[in-house]
Amino acid sequence: MLETISADLNAANLGAFQQSMRHLGYVEGQNLVIEYRSADGDANRFPGLVAELIHLNVDLIVTRGTPAVLAAKKATSTIPVVMASSGEPLLVVASLARPGGNVTGLSTVNPDLVPKRCWFPGWRASQPL
């Protein structure tokens, strides 16, 4: 798992992930090992952290955040990479419908909300932005 923040600061998300994995039959210490790597807020650390995970011969890399998934994608084309969240998924995958390659996952981008995020008083939908 490749994260921007430490496991302590990410305890709620990590706990939810572990609980969901248990629900699917994967129990840490029995049939699941989570190698958690944190950049501690410094995106420049991601390439080295990804290299550590690759050296450990992990089966899958779960990332959160665009910088983490970009580093993972650049480092490997063979290990599956799952974006737990990415604000800019189209920087990483060919399309949301068919990501291609070894990267897939979730995005915080919702195309239906884009016009609402761009709305401002006096703007009409018929006007170009």
Side-chain angles (χ1 to χ4, degrees), residues 58-91:
V58 297
D59 295 317
L60 173 77
I61 299 173
V62 177
T63 66
R64 191 161 65 111
T66 303
V69 72
L70 285 171
K73 180 182 180 181
K74 184 175 180 180
T76 181
S77 61
T78 56
I79 299 172
V81 177
V82 177
M83 301 181 286
S85 176
S86 175
E88 299 290 340
L90 294 177
L91 292 176

Side-chain angles (χ1 to χ4, degrees), residues 3-108:
E3 263 285 357
T4 303
I5 60 175
S6 70
D8 290 341
L9 293 175
N10 196 31
N13 288 326
L14 184 56
F17 178 75
Q18 291 165 318
Q19 182 179 6
S20 295
M21 294 304 289
R22 278 192 302 275
H23 179 73
L24 294 170
Y26 298 97
V27 179
E28 201 169 3
Q30 292 180 13
N31 59 358
L32 174 68
V33 175
I34 297 175
E35 294 289 349
Y36 193 98
R37 297 294 185 272
S38 170
D40 293 319
D42 182 0
N44 294 320
R45 294 188 60 212
F46 283 128
L49 297 171
V50 173
E52 286 180 27
L53 293 173
I54 292 170
H55 180 73
L56 291 170
N57 200 29
V58 297
D59 295 317
L60 173 77
I61 299 173
V62 177
T63 66
R64 191 161 65 111
T66 303
V69 72
L70 285 171
K73 180 182 180 181
K74 184 175 180 180
T76 181
S77 61
T78 56
I79 299 172
V81 177
V82 177
M83 301 181 286
S85 176
S86 175
E88 299 290 340
L90 294 177
L91 292 176
V92 183
V93 297
S95 79
L96 297 178
R98 291 186 172 40
N102 63 320
V103 180
T104 192
L106 307 172
S107 169
T108 55

Side-chain angles (χ1 to χ4, degrees), residues 100-119:
N102 63 320
V103 180
T104 192
L106 307 172
S107 169
T108 55
V109 172
N110 182 336
D112 295 333
L113 294 178
V114 170
K116 293 177 181 171
R117 290 181 181 146
C118 295
W119 182 87

